[in-house]
Amino acid sequence: MTTSHVIENVSVNKSFGGWHKQYSHQSTTLNCTMKFAIYLPPKIASGEKVPVLYWLSGLTCTDENFMQKSGVQRIAAELGIAIVAPDTSPRGEGVANDDGYDLGQGAGFYVNATQAPWNRHYQMYDYVVNELPQLIESTFPVSDKRAISGHSMGGHGALTIAMLNPERYSSMSAFSPICNPINAPWGKKAFSTYLGKDKANWLNHDASELMRRATQFIPAKVDQGGADDFLTEQLQPETLEAAAQANDYPLELCIHEGYDHSYYFISSFIEEHLRFHAEHLNK
């Protein structure tokens, strides 16, 4: 077991016959101590390995928001799916930060930073794609069948990571994703800081751009609240829909009138997302 695979259990809670557990470990990719949460469904008691849904959270969140607010454990227990929720960025003393909520700690944007001082720690893309799954699959009774989902900044991360690695994920979904970050204030601020001023380096981290030029398709589900305060300026789901239509990409996108950007919205539709992923994980 390598140093990066030495993990420490922080908390354990029984839930719907399974177990919610939080761990910390020293990440060699991010050069800091990271936390993640995992829900293991009761099916693991049979000795059978279960597939994993990776959940990426949004700005200012940690591994705790989704696990505590979404109600995902009930459906995951029924379907026999493990849920893994990493933190949203590197953290700790010596990790670069910013006074704004939308940059720095809590706002990693799931990219590999190339610009100093961010590039020393902010390698969230490599962490989510490589280090974390290797740790999970070598430590817990899970298979290498993976799906990925997320919310807002994490929705952006889930869609872009899946489309850049279509062989690794059976399906992808998102709630309220930042669909066109190269043209959204959140994305412009983060990408110019982490990736530099050359916008050509931003294109591989824009879901609309990736969907428009994709040659390998992954089943995709996106839900968006129609009363979301960030809908027009930051999220721009119409750009993702246009890209899917231009490329015949298998995207199911639904606008839900009256719903906002909160976990009240996510908890209302998370069961549909898990059943969507279960269908593709079981193929």
Side-chain angles (χ1 to χ4, degrees), residues 213-243:
R213 66 176 196 250
T215 57
Q216 290 180 263
F217 294 168
I218 304 172
K221 180 177 177 61
V222 171
D223 284 286
Q224 172 64 59
D228 193 318
D229 289 341
F230 304 112
L231 179 61
T232 302
E233 183 180 35
Q234 301 281 13
L235 306 179
Q236 304 171 26
E238 68 279 358
T239 62
L240 191 70
E241 188 171 41

mmCIF file of all heavy atoms in Angstrom, residues 213-243:
data_model
loop_
_atom_site.group_PDB
_atom_site.id
_atom_site.type_symbol
_atom_site.label_atom_id
_atom_site.label_comp_id
_atom_site.label_asym_id
_atom_site.label_seq_id
_atom_site.Cartn_x
_atom_site.Cartn_y
_atom_site.Cartn_z
ATOM 1 N N ARG A 213 -18.077 18.530 -30.119
ATOM 2 C CA ARG A 213 -17.072 17.864 -30.947
ATOM 3 C C ARG A 213 -16.818 16.412 -30.556
ATOM 4 O O ARG A 213 -15.890 15.782 -31.061
ATOM 5 C CB ARG A 213 -15.765 18.655 -30.914
ATOM 6 C CG ARG A 213 -15.058 18.717 -29.566
ATOM 7 C CD ARG A 213 -13.733 19.450 -29.712
ATOM 8 N NE ARG A 213 -12.847 19.254 -28.604
ATOM 9 C CZ ARG A 213 -12.527 20.176 -27.707
ATOM 10 N NH1 ARG A 213 -13.056 21.381 -27.798
ATOM 11 N NH2 ARG A 213 -11.688 19.913 -26.734
ATOM 12 N N ALA A 214 -17.631 15.864 -29.680
ATOM 13 C CA ALA A 214 -17.433 14.489 -29.203
ATOM 14 C C ALA A 214 -17.599 13.475 -30.323
ATOM 15 O O ALA A 214 -18.439 13.629 -31.213
ATOM 16 C CB ALA A 214 -18.415 14.177 -28.082
ATOM 17 N N THR A 215 -16.783 12.429 -30.273
ATOM 18 C CA THR A 215 -16.911 11.311 -31.215
ATOM 19 C C THR A 215 -17.313 10.024 -30.505
ATOM 20 O O THR A 215 -17.741 9.070 -31.141
ATOM 21 C CB THR A 215 -15.591 11.086 -31.972
ATOM 22 O OG1 THR A 215 -14.535 10.861 -31.029
ATOM 23 C CG2 THR A 215 -15.241 12.300 -32.838
ATOM 24 N N GLN A 216 -17.145 9.976 -29.185
ATOM 25 C CA GLN A 216 -17.634 8.874 -28.365
ATOM 26 C C GLN A 216 -18.708 9.423 -27.435
ATOM 27 O O GLN A 216 -18.486 10.425 -26.755
ATOM 28 C CB GLN A 216 -16.511 8.246 -27.541
ATOM 29 C CG GLN A 216 -15.493 7.472 -28.356
ATOM 30 C CD GLN A 216 -14.422 6.878 -27.462
ATOM 31 O OE1 GLN A 216 -13.345 7.446 -27.295
ATOM 32 N NE2 GLN A 216 -14.700 5.709 -26.886
ATOM 33 N N PHE A 217 -19.855 8.774 -27.414
ATOM 34 C CA PHE A 217 -20.990 9.301 -26.665
ATOM 35 C C PHE A 217 -21.222 8.515 -25.382
ATOM 36 O O PHE A 217 -21.138 7.278 -25.374
ATOM 37 C CB PHE A 217 -22.259 9.255 -27.512
ATOM 38 C CG PHE A 217 -22.228 10.161 -28.724
ATOM 39 C CD1 PHE A 217 -23.199 10.032 -29.704
ATOM 40 C CD2 PHE A 217 -21.251 11.129 -28.880
ATOM 41 C CE1 PHE A 217 -23.197 10.862 -30.819
ATOM 42 C CE2 PHE A 217 -21.231 11.965 -29.996
ATOM 43 C CZ PHE A 217 -22.209 11.823 -30.965
ATOM 44 N N ILE A 218 -21.536 9.243 -24.311
ATOM 45 C CA ILE A 218 -21.914 8.656 -23.030
ATOM 46 C C ILE A 218 -23.330 9.131 -22.721
ATOM 47 O O ILE A 218 -23.613 10.325 -22.853
ATOM 48 C CB ILE A 218 -20.972 9.112 -21.900
ATOM 49 C CG1 ILE A 218 -19.529 8.783 -22.237
ATOM 50 C CG2 ILE A 218 -21.361 8.490 -20.575
ATOM 51 C CD1 ILE A 218 -18.556 9.378 -21.244
ATOM 52 N N PRO A 219 -24.232 8.249 -22.307
ATOM 53 C CA PRO A 219 -25.574 8.705 -21.940
ATOM 54 C C PRO A 219 -25.507 9.824 -20.897
ATOM 55 O O PRO A 219 -24.779 9.707 -19.900
ATOM 56 C CB PRO A 219 -26.232 7.449 -21.375
ATOM 57 C CG PRO A 219 -25.486 6.320 -22.003
ATOM 58 C CD PRO A 219 -24.077 6.792 -22.157
ATOM 59 N N ALA A 220 -26.256 10.896 -21.138
ATOM 60 C CA ALA A 220 -26.153 12.093 -20.300
ATOM 61 C C ALA A 220 -27.538 12.560 -19.859
ATOM 62 O O ALA A 220 -28.483 12.589 -20.661
ATOM 63 C CB ALA A 220 -25.451 13.206 -21.063
ATOM 64 N N LYS A 221 -27.631 12.930 -18.590
ATOM 65 C CA LYS A 221 -28.876 13.457 -18.025
ATOM 66 C C LYS A 221 -28.569 14.741 -17.271
ATOM 67 O O LYS A 221 -27.663 14.761 -16.427
ATOM 68 C CB LYS A 221 -29.505 12.432 -17.078
ATOM 69 C CG LYS A 221 -30.809 12.875 -16.417
ATOM 70 C CD LYS A 221 -31.377 11.749 -15.572
ATOM 71 C CE LYS A 221 -32.650 12.172 -14.844
ATOM 72 N NZ LYS A 221 -33.732 12.553 -15.789
ATOM 73 N N VAL A 222 -29.289 15.810 -17.580
ATOM 74 C CA VAL A 222 -29.080 17.101 -16.916
ATOM 75 C C VAL A 222 -30.427 17.649 -16.472
ATOM 76 O O VAL A 222 -31.383 17.699 -17.265
ATOM 77 C CB VAL A 222 -28.388 18.113 -17.846
ATOM 78 C CG1 VAL A 222 -28.372 19.501 -17.219
ATOM 79 C CG2 VAL A 222 -26.959 17.665 -18.160
ATOM 80 N N ASP A 223 -30.515 18.049 -15.215
ATOM 81 C CA ASP A 223 -31.707 18.705 -14.694
ATOM 82 C C ASP A 223 -31.342 20.105 -14.205
ATOM 83 O O ASP A 223 -30.296 20.307 -13.572
ATOM 84 C CB ASP A 223 -32.302 17.887 -13.553
ATOM 85 C CG ASP A 223 -33.052 16.675 -14.064
ATOM 86 O OD1 ASP A 223 -34.158 16.861 -14.596
ATOM 87 O OD2 ASP A 223 -32.534 15.544 -13.957
ATOM 88 N N GLN A 224 -32.216 21.049 -14.503
ATOM 89 C CA GLN A 224 -31.968 22.459 -14.197
ATOM 90 C C GLN A 224 -33.241 23.087 -13.641
ATOM 91 O O GLN A 224 -34.326 22.873 -14.173
ATOM 92 C CB GLN A 224 -31.546 23.207 -15.475
ATOM 93 C CG GLN A 224 -31.453 24.708 -15.339
ATOM 94 C CD GLN A 224 -30.382 25.126 -14.359
ATOM 95 O OE1 GLN A 224 -29.215 24.802 -14.529
ATOM 96 N NE2 GLN A 224 -30.763 25.865 -13.314
ATOM 97 N N GLY A 225 -33.092 23.836 -12.576
ATOM 98 C CA GLY A 225 -34.223 24.551 -12.012
ATOM 99 C C GLY A 225 -34.535 25.811 -12.810
ATOM 100 O O GLY A 225 -33.634 26.595 -13.114
ATOM 101 N N GLY A 226 -35.811 26.015 -13.121
ATOM 102 C CA GLY A 226 -36.203 27.185 -13.899
ATOM 103 C C GLY A 226 -36.173 28.474 -13.106
ATOM 104 O O GLY A 226 -36.153 29.560 -13.694
ATOM 105 N N ALA A 227 -36.175 28.388 -11.774
ATOM 106 C CA ALA A 227 -36.127 29.573 -10.921
ATOM 107 C C ALA A 227 -34.744 29.765 -10.298
ATOM 108 O O ALA A 227 -34.601 30.448 -9.275
ATOM 109 C CB ALA A 227 -37.187 29.475 -9.827
ATOM 110 N N ASP A 228 -33.743 29.184 -10.907
ATOM 111 C CA ASP A 228 -32.363 29.273 -10.432
ATOM 112 C C ASP A 228 -31.825 30.681 -10.676
ATOM 113 O O ASP A 228 -31.841 31.175 -11.804
ATOM 114 C CB ASP A 228 -31.514 28.247 -11.199
ATOM 115 C CG ASP A 228 -30.142 28.023 -10.598
ATOM 116 O OD1 ASP A 228 -29.498 29.025 -10.196
ATOM 117 O OD2 ASP A 228 -29.698 26.872 -10.565
ATOM 118 N N ASP A 229 -31.347 31.333 -9.618
ATOM 119 C CA ASP A 229 -30.828 32.704 -9.746
ATOM 120 C C ASP A 229 -29.628 32.796 -10.675
ATOM 121 O O ASP A 229 -29.320 33.871 -11.187
ATOM 122 C CB ASP A 229 -30.442 33.251 -8.364
ATOM 123 C CG ASP A 229 -31.645 33.543 -7.481
ATOM 124 O OD1 ASP A 229 -32.769 33.673 -8.030
ATOM 125 O OD2 ASP A 229 -31.474 33.612 -6.249
ATOM 126 N N PHE A 230 -28.923 31.684 -10.887
ATOM 127 C CA PHE A 230 -27.705 31.694 -11.704
ATOM 128 C C PHE A 230 -27.954 31.248 -13.144
ATOM 129 O O PHE A 230 -27.015 31.148 -13.934
ATOM 130 C CB PHE A 230 -26.648 30.773 -11.070
ATOM 131 C CG PHE A 230 -26.319 31.112 -9.647
ATOM 132 C CD1 PHE A 230 -26.671 30.256 -8.611
ATOM 133 C CD2 PHE A 230 -25.664 32.292 -9.324
ATOM 134 C CE1 PHE A 230 -26.371 30.563 -7.292
ATOM 135 C CE2 PHE A 230 -25.356 32.616 -8.006
ATOM 136 C CZ PHE A 230 -25.715 31.751 -6.991
ATOM 137 N N LEU A 231 -29.203 30.954 -13.474
ATOM 138 C CA LEU A 231 -29.542 30.299 -14.733
ATOM 139 C C LEU A 231 -29.003 31.024 -15.958
ATOM 140 O O LEU A 231 -28.292 30.441 -16.785
ATOM 141 C CB LEU A 231 -31.064 30.158 -14.834
ATOM 142 C CG LEU A 231 -31.622 29.512 -16.097
ATOM 143 C CD1 LEU A 231 -31.130 28.087 -16.253
ATOM 144 C CD2 LEU A 231 -33.152 29.531 -16.063
ATOM 145 N N THR A 232 -29.308 32.288 -16.096
ATOM 146 C CA THR A 232 -29.007 33.020 -17.335
ATOM 147 C C THR A 232 -27.538 33.382 -17.461
ATOM 148 O O THR A 232 -26.909 33.147 -18.503
ATOM 149 C CB THR A 232 -29.867 34.288 -17.419
ATOM 150 O OG1 THR A 232 -31.253 33.927 -17.353
ATOM 151 C CG2 THR A 232 -29.595 35.032 -18.725
ATOM 152 N N GLU A 233 -26.949 33.928 -16.379
ATOM 153 C CA GLU A 233 -25.587 34.447 -16.466
ATOM 154 C C GLU A 233 -24.534 33.359 -16.351
ATOM 155 O O GLU A 233 -23.558 33.346 -17.118
ATOM 156 C CB GLU A 233 -25.355 35.499 -15.375
ATOM 157 C CG GLU A 233 -23.984 36.154 -15.445
ATOM 158 C CD GLU A 233 -23.775 37.195 -14.368
ATOM 159 O OE1 GLU A 233 -24.284 37.006 -13.241
ATOM 160 O OE2 GLU A 233 -23.080 38.200 -14.636
ATOM 161 N N GLN A 234 -24.723 32.419 -15.431
ATOM 162 C CA GLN A 234 -23.656 31.486 -15.102
ATOM 163 C C GLN A 234 -23.824 30.084 -15.706
ATOM 164 O O GLN A 234 -22.831 29.442 -16.061
ATOM 165 C CB GLN A 234 -23.543 31.336 -13.573
ATOM 166 C CG GLN A 234 -23.252 32.632 -12.824
ATOM 167 C CD GLN A 234 -21.788 33.045 -12.894
ATOM 168 O OE1 GLN A 234 -21.021 32.515 -13.680
ATOM 169 N NE2 GLN A 234 -21.404 33.999 -12.068
ATOM 170 N N LEU A 235 -25.038 29.597 -15.820
ATOM 171 C CA LEU A 235 -25.252 28.178 -16.125
ATOM 172 C C LEU A 235 -25.499 27.907 -17.603
ATOM 173 O O LEU A 235 -24.991 26.939 -18.152
ATOM 174 C CB LEU A 235 -26.396 27.629 -15.264
ATOM 175 C CG LEU A 235 -26.217 27.864 -13.759
ATOM 176 C CD1 LEU A 235 -27.401 27.309 -12.983
ATOM 177 C CD2 LEU A 235 -24.912 27.252 -13.244
ATOM 178 N N GLN A 236 -26.339 28.672 -18.254
ATOM 179 C CA GLN A 236 -26.510 28.657 -19.710
ATOM 180 C C GLN A 236 -26.770 27.251 -20.283
ATOM 181 O O GLN A 236 -26.045 26.779 -21.177
ATOM 182 C CB GLN A 236 -25.288 29.283 -20.378
ATOM 183 C CG GLN A 236 -24.972 30.687 -19.898
ATOM 184 C CD GLN A 236 -23.640 31.223 -20.389
ATOM 185 O OE1 GLN A 236 -23.148 30.805 -21.428
ATOM 186 N NE2 GLN A 236 -23.051 32.150 -19.645
ATOM 187 N N PRO A 237 -27.796 26.555 -19.814
ATOM 188 C CA PRO A 237 -28.058 25.203 -20.324
ATOM 189 C C PRO A 237 -28.415 25.166 -21.809
ATOM 190 O O PRO A 237 -28.244 24.129 -22.458
ATOM 191 C CB PRO A 237 -29.229 24.722 -19.463
ATOM 192 C CG PRO A 237 -29.886 25.980 -18.961
ATOM 193 C CD PRO A 237 -28.767 26.953 -18.771
ATOM 194 N N GLU A 238 -28.867 26.291 -22.341
ATOM 195 C CA GLU A 238 -29.214 26.318 -23.765
ATOM 196 C C GLU A 238 -27.998 26.052 -24.645
ATOM 197 O O GLU A 238 -28.138 25.511 -25.760
ATOM 198 C CB GLU A 238 -29.868 27.658 -24.132
ATOM 199 C CG GLU A 238 -28.971 28.871 -24.073
ATOM 200 C CD GLU A 238 -28.774 29.433 -22.664
ATOM 201 O OE1 GLU A 238 -29.372 28.885 -21.703
ATOM 202 O OE2 GLU A 238 -28.041 30.436 -22.533
ATOM 203 N N THR A 239 -26.799 26.398 -24.170
ATOM 204 C CA THR A 239 -25.594 26.138 -24.970
ATOM 205 C C THR A 239 -25.304 24.641 -25.033
ATOM 206 O O THR A 239 -24.865 24.123 -26.072
ATOM 207 C CB THR A 239 -24.374 26.874 -24.394
ATOM 208 O OG1 THR A 239 -24.104 26.387 -23.072
ATOM 209 C CG2 THR A 239 -24.610 28.382 -24.335
ATOM 210 N N LEU A 240 -25.545 23.941 -23.933
ATOM 211 C CA LEU A 240 -25.335 22.490 -23.915
ATOM 212 C C LEU A 240 -26.371 21.802 -24.801
ATOM 213 O O LEU A 240 -26.043 20.879 -25.559
ATOM 214 C CB LEU A 240 -25.423 21.964 -22.484
ATOM 215 C CG LEU A 240 -24.964 20.521 -22.276
ATOM 216 C CD1 LEU A 240 -23.455 20.412 -22.447
ATOM 217 C CD2 LEU A 240 -25.377 20.019 -20.898
ATOM 218 N N GLU A 241 -27.603 22.241 -24.722
ATOM 219 C CA GLU A 241 -28.656 21.656 -25.540
ATOM 220 C C GLU A 241 -28.381 21.859 -27.026
ATOM 221 O O GLU A 241 -28.560 20.939 -27.842
ATOM 222 C CB GLU A 241 -30.007 22.262 -25.168
ATOM 223 C CG GLU A 241 -31.188 21.598 -25.826
ATOM 224 C CD GLU A 241 -32.495 22.091 -25.251
ATOM 225 O OE1 GLU A 241 -32.621 23.311 -24.996
ATOM 226 O OE2 GLU A 241 -33.399 21.260 -25.066
ATOM 227 N N ALA A 242 -27.905 23.048 -27.382
ATOM 228 C CA ALA A 242 -27.582 23.327 -28.788
ATOM 229 C C ALA A 242 -26.432 22.452 -29.267
ATOM 230 O O ALA A 242 -26.442 21.954 -30.401
ATOM 231 C CB ALA A 242 -27.241 24.804 -28.963
ATOM 232 N N ALA A 243 -25.429 22.260 -28.411
ATOM 233 C CA ALA A 243 -24.295 21.411 -28.778
ATOM 234 C C ALA A 243 -24.736 19.968 -28.984
ATOM 235 O O ALA A 243 -24.297 19.294 -29.923
ATOM 236 C CB ALA A 243 -23.219 21.482 -27.697
#
